[in-house]
Amino acid sequence: MSTSEDYQGQVPAWCPGCGNFNILSTVKEALVELGIESWEVLVVSGIGQAGKLPHYMKCHTFNGLHGRTLPVATAAKLANHSLHVIAVAGDGDCYGEGGNHFLHTIRRNPNITLLVHDNQIYGLTKGQASPTTAQKTHTKIQPYGVLSEQMNPLALAISQDCSFVARGFAGDQGYLKELMKAAITHKGFALLDILQPCVTFNKINTFKWYRDRVYKLEDKYDPYNRLKAFERSLEWGDKIPNGILYKNERETLEEGMPTIQEEPLVRQKFSIEDVKHEIEKFY
């Protein structure tokens, strides 16, 4: 049985008090409680403060290009669908540079988990506005305020029928852990957007700011009701819902590929004759 120490990687280099520390420890705890061993996990990331998370974990890891987290995670899952694949990204990395990949991963529905560290700012490159930064917010390179309207990733995901859409808060690790466990065990593409305060560059969306606003969805809430889920996803400001907003049951990308049903691609052996036979099918 694994422990959190089994997942211990390098010493984190985040700013003291950063919400990323809570996310890192919660990921480890969730995996341990699910009984998943470190060798069964692949964590994929792009660039950014969130993108450093694989460095701080001991498991299979891949640190790639800015905004390209999901294509790598999808390919890895197709090559070895026995792995638990967790994609980690920041709000800029995923919803900005990676926005196109985010949309098409929802369409494809691979059985992977996406954890978005949503601090509503670009932390690694020193505080520029990200897609989730509130309109009119002043930053170092937006001295007159952000001109673009704030992106709503949860509403976007629900509108595209993403198979699992949830929001958590780095300041409530107990509830965040339960959401992570639900996302990791969900069959299909699972989005968990995590409100993660940046203590250095975002002085607006602080831990206190979130604590005064976030609330848990009631027990009677039905996450299979897409219309109600969309309505809740539009709540932002004085009240911010946390929990599983929406989920459904769809065929995964792997289930639609007969060539990997019996065993993962990485364990299959192909001869030259096998390759020729497959090529001849197209001519």
Side-chain angles (χ1 to χ4, degrees):
M1 185 70 177
S2 63
T3 66
S4 291
E5 287 71 31
D6 293 323
Y7 282 97
Q8 183 63 49
Q10 300 176 30
V11 177
W14 291 314
C15 301
C18 175
N20 280 330
F21 285 99
N22 293 2
I23 296 174
L24 174 62
S25 61
T26 305
V27 171
K28 294 176 183 177
E29 291 174 9
L31 291 169
V32 169
E33 290 189 13
L34 288 172
I36 300 173
E37 302 291 340
S38 58
W39 55 269
E40 298 177 298
V41 179
L42 168 66
V43 179
V44 180
S45 74
I47 300 297
Q49 294 293 0
K52 295 178 180 179
L53 186 139
H55 305 177
Y56 311 142
M57 290 192 65
K58 186 179 180 181
C59 57
H60 299 293
T61 62
F62 188 103
N63 191 194
L65 301 175
H66 204 11
R68 305 298 181 261
T69 309
L70 290 172
V72 174
T74 301
K77 187 67 177 181
L78 289 175
N80 188 359
H81 59 277
S82 65
L83 279 175
H84 293 276
V85 178
I86 300 174
V88 176
D91 45 306
D93 183 37
C94 184
Y95 305 139
E97 286 81 358
N100 184 53
H101 295 302
F102 176 61
L103 287 173
H104 294 293
T105 304
I106 292 174
R107 290 180 55 232
R108 296 184 181 109
N109 197 37
N111 188 15
I112 63 176
T113 304
L114 171 61
L115 306 179
V116 180
H117 300 216
D118 191 350
N119 58 18
Q120 301 176 65
I121 210 76
Y122 277 96
L124 183 67
T125 46
K126 309 301 184 282
Q128 303 96 318
S130 79
T132 57
T133 304
Q135 194 173 27
K136 299 184 180 179
T137 298
H138 293 260
T139 74
K140 290 181 179 180
I141 64 168
Q142 285 94 12
Y144 302 108
V146 177
L147 300 178
S148 302
E149 191 169 310
Q150 184 179 19
M151 181 183 178
N152 186 329
L154 271 63
L156 175 61
I158 294 168
S159 74
Q160 298 304 304
D161 205 26
C162 183
S163 73
F164 182 102
V165 181
R167 177 192 283 133
F169 170 43
D172 186 351
Q173 287 183 258
Y175 192 43
L176 179 61
K177 180 172 62 177
E178 295 309 309
L179 294 174
M180 281 189 183
K181 288 162 65 176
I184 292 169
T185 56
H186 174 77
K187 191 186 77 169
F189 180 52
L191 164 66
L192 176 54
D193 185 87
I194 306 169
L195 302 174
Q196 175 254 309
C198 173
V199 296
T200 301
F201 297 111
N202 188 341
K203 303 299 184 181
I204 298 173
N205 308 113
T206 62
F207 278 99
K208 182 181 185 307
W209 189 92
Y210 285 123
R211 287 196 178 100
D212 290 342
R213 291 164 173 79
V214 298
Y215 73 91
K216 296 177 183 177
L217 293 170
E218 343 42 269
D219 292 338
K220 64 179 181 180
Y221 176 80
D222 180 12
Y224 290 97
N225 188 323
R226 190 177 179 192
L227 181 58
K228 291 295 184 183
F230 191 74
E231 289 176 356
R232 289 297 182 98
S233 73
L234 297 179
E235 290 185 19
W236 183 267
D238 293 335
K239 294 180 67 179
I240 304 174
N242 272 12
I244 302 173
L245 275 74
Y246 180 63
K247 61 181 179 179
N248 62 51
E249 297 176 3
R250 293 169 50 196
E251 182 181 67
T252 66
L253 180 61
E254 306 92 274
E255 289 176 326
M257 294 189 171
T259 54
I260 60 174
Q261 297 307 305
E262 294 185 5
E263 62 179 344
L265 186 64
V266 292
R267 297 191 187 128
Q268 295 182 29
K269 296 181 179 179
F270 298 94
S271 66
I272 295 297
E273 292 303 316
D274 291 332
V275 175
K276 287 181 178 178
H277 179 68
E278 289 300 315
I279 293 175
E280 288 171 357
K281 289 181 181 180
F282 297 95
Y283 296 94

